[in-house]
Amino acid sequence: MADVKALAESLVNLTVKEVQELADVLKADYGIEPAAAAVVVAAGDGGGAAAAAEKTEFDVILKSPGASKLNVVKIVKDLTGLGLKEAKELVDGAPKAVKEKISKAEADDIAGKLKEAGAEVEVA
């Protein structure tokens, strides 16, 4: 019984990376699907499950307009629907959020356009 309790404590204290490694070993060596390992994480103290939860809303943060500021202002204007003056103020006020609470695909698309124009961007 002491061995089972020690095993349970070890499982509860695993990091997300360790859980992934455990899932890989269980699948490769024992034919147990990773979904079974996810149940172990969910049964833990909740901290690991919360860390493993996938983020669904993202913000695109303009960190710096870079050397081609005018092109970045034009792109920000087109992406946000702001007027030219407001878009310029947003770019001048960097670091600042260009778009907030959007999907990962949309955030990556916007970040790509801004990076292509020379801006320094972060998706958070």
Side-chain angles (χ1 to χ4, degrees):
M1 188 68 168
D3 290 339
V4 173
K5 186 167 178 120
L7 176 62
E9 278 191 36
S10 296
L11 290 174
V12 170
N13 292 321
L14 290 176
T15 65
V16 174
K17 182 180 178 187
E18 291 169 332
V19 169
Q20 182 60 46
E21 291 172 4
L22 175 62
D24 293 342
V25 168
L26 289 173
K27 185 175 182 181
D29 296 350
Y30 300 99
I32 299 172
E33 290 299 318
V39 172
V40 172
V41 173
D45 63 350
E54 190 172 330
K55 188 174 179 181
T56 57
E57 293 183 335
F58 297 86
D59 298 339
V60 178
I61 312 293
L62 176 68
K63 295 183 94 179
S64 166
S68 189
K69 185 171 149 184
L70 182 58
N71 287 337
V72 173
V73 170
K74 288 179 185 177
I75 292 172
V76 168
K77 178 183 174 292
D78 291 341
L79 292 172
T80 60
L82 294 172
L84 186 60
K85 179 182 177 189
E86 292 82 8
K88 183 181 180 305
E89 288 173 354
L90 188 148
V91 171
D92 287 341
K96 205 161 196 173
V98 175
K99 284 250 184 169
E100 297 178 320
K101 297 184 179 171
I102 57 176
S103 70
K104 177 74 170 155
E106 186 179 0
D108 289 341
D109 182 49
I110 291 171
K113 289 177 182 177
L114 289 167
K115 286 179 184 177
E116 192 175 297
E120 184 181 340
V121 182
E122 174 186 352
V123 176

